[in-house]
Amino acid sequence: MLSSLQNRILILEQEVEEGYLTENKRKAILSLLSKSMIRVCYKDEKLLKEVLRLTEPILELEFEKVERLEREFEEKMAKQVAEQVEKQVAEQVEKRVEKQVAEQVEKQVAERQKELERESEENLERQIEELKMEFKRKLEEQRREWEENFIDRPIGKC
């Protein structure tokens, strides 16, 4: 039975080579032969495996080929679309992150400038207070010195 199937396969290949049969028709005939052989020998597992081994690698009907090519094309397109979307999302995320980081840095710089201004103002106020205190102290020292030198002396001795 298997040698008969092998002979038919060889005959179909010769007919394709000689131009009597197209490749698509050969595949369709092989598919039908394969299916009929499977139905005939499905109870004999060893024979069934041998039939499948002989016919499986060479069978691909035109519609199966079209379906396979369509599936491959769709997978390729889906992969390209996914890559493009991923790239666009990454770019958008990067732009948003850059913008947020820039805003945060700007905010921190502004806060630091305000803080430095406050510190500067506080330092100036403290320095002014220190100068006032120093001035008062010196004024008080001069007043005491003046009092010691001029008030305690008799008027005529000047």
Side-chain angles (χ1 to χ4, degrees):
M1 184 183 280
L2 290 177
S3 62
S4 170
L5 179 61
Q6 285 176 330
N7 287 337
R8 288 185 182 124
I9 292 171
L10 291 174
I11 291 170
L12 288 172
E13 288 174 0
Q14 287 174 351
E15 288 185 2
V16 169
E17 289 173 7
E18 293 170 3
Y20 297 117
L21 194 62
T22 66
E23 185 66 26
N24 289 338
K25 288 183 180 180
R26 179 186 73 84
K27 288 181 180 180
I29 292 170
L30 282 175
S31 176
L32 292 172
L33 277 173
S34 173
K35 289 177 184 177
S36 64
M37 288 294 287
I38 289 170
R39 286 188 179 192
V40 168
C41 60
Y42 74 93
K43 289 184 180 180
D44 185 350
E45 188 175 333
K46 186 177 178 183
L47 188 59
L48 178 63
K49 285 182 182 179
E50 189 62 25
V51 168
L52 290 175
R53 186 190 65 76
L54 286 173
T55 59
E56 194 68 32
I58 57 175
L59 295 178
E60 184 179 33
L61 295 176
E62 190 61 30
F63 76 90
E64 292 172 330
K65 183 178 180 180
V66 169
E67 286 177 348
R68 180 180 52 82
L69 292 174
E70 284 177 348
R71 191 172 47 254
E72 289 172 1
F73 177 76
E74 288 173 359
E75 289 172 358
K76 184 177 179 181
M77 292 304 295
K79 183 178 178 184
Q80 287 177 349
V81 167
E83 288 173 355
Q84 288 176 345
V85 167
E86 185 177 320
K87 182 179 177 183
Q88 289 173 351
V89 166
E91 288 173 357
Q92 289 176 354
V93 166
E94 186 175 332
K95 286 178 184 177
R96 286 183 183 172
V97 167
E98 286 176 359
K99 184 179 177 183
Q100 288 176 346
V101 167
E103 288 172 354
Q104 287 176 348
V105 167
E106 203 173 289
K107 184 179 178 182
Q108 289 174 347
V109 166
E111 288 174 358
R112 183 65 180 142
Q113 284 177 337
K114 287 179 183 177
E115 188 178 309
L116 288 173
E117 288 173 5
R118 268 194 313 273
E119 288 176 4
S120 174
E121 288 175 3
E122 289 172 0
N123 283 339
L124 285 175
E125 288 174 3
R126 192 179 75 250
Q127 288 175 354
I128 290 172
E129 285 300 316
E130 288 174 359
L131 287 172
K132 283 180 181 179
M133 302 237 336
E134 181 70 21
F135 178 73
K136 285 180 182 179
R137 187 182 55 80
K138 284 188 179 184
L139 186 64
E140 185 65 31
E141 282 177 12
Q142 281 184 353
R143 188 182 62 78
R144 272 190 242 134
E145 191 178 303
W146 185 76
E147 284 176 353
E148 287 175 6
N149 290 333
F150 296 107
I151 295 186
D152 290 341
R153 286 189 182 179
I155 296 179
K157 289 186 176 178
C158 289

